[in-house]
Amino acid sequence: MKFQPERLIQLRNTLNINKAEAARRLNISPMVYGRYENGQREPSYPTVGFIAQTFNCNIDFLYGTSDKTDPDYIIVSSSNDPELYSLIKMIKQDRNVEGKILTYARKLLEK
């Protein structure tokens, strides 16, 4: 698998942000980001994962093996969203709770 710079450009354009803003969100220098986009430098696999997480896309999209941009997973951290993290932790500890919460959520969304 080889990182596809044109996919990164496409993603940035979809997000409607410039290169400087993309670099800021990724906490890297604009020069490093520019090298990713022009293909002079290939990000490591963990870095591609971070790009995908930060820009809410699928890693396979960035490698060109899928045209699907929606991520396969979402990371929830206890520091960024403690309530959602606690809910997910509770579901993992007791699978009976999962069905009840999903039923309740569906009813809420119907309204």
Side-chain angles (χ1 to χ4, degrees):
M1 280 191 312
K2 184 162 173 46
F3 181 75
Q4 303 294 311
E6 64 277 359
R7 294 290 182 104
L8 182 59
I9 296 167
Q10 181 182 344
L11 183 59
R12 179 176 56 77
N13 289 333
T14 300
L15 294 170
N16 225 7
I17 58 174
N18 60 29
K19 290 179 186 180
E21 176 61 18
R24 186 193 67 73
R25 289 184 186 186
L26 296 170
N27 199 27
I28 59 176
S29 74
M31 186 166 60
V32 168
Y33 181 82
R35 288 181 178 158
Y36 290 161
E37 274 202 6
N38 66 28
Q40 290 178 327
R41 184 173 179 181
E42 184 166 337
S44 66
Y45 186 80
T47 300
V48 175
F50 182 70
I51 292 169
Q53 178 186 341
T54 302
F55 292 156
N56 195 33
C57 81
N58 190 309
I59 291 174
D60 291 337
F61 174 79
L62 293 171
Y63 281 114
T65 57
S66 171
D67 290 331
K68 178 183 163 215
T69 56
D70 293 334
D72 291 331
Y73 60 89
I74 298 171
I75 297 175
V76 178
S77 73
S78 60
S79 58
N80 288 344
D81 200 337
E83 290 176 340
L84 184 56
Y85 181 85
S86 294
L87 180 63
I88 292 169
K89 188 174 177 182
M90 184 175 31
I91 290 170
K92 286 199 168 280
Q93 290 171 347
D94 184 354
R95 287 295 180 176
N96 293 325
V97 173
E98 180 179 16
K100 293 175 184 176
I101 291 174
L102 288 173
T103 300
Y104 181 68
R106 287 185 188 109
K107 287 182 181 179
L108 286 175
L109 294 172
E110 287 175 3
K111 294 181 180 181

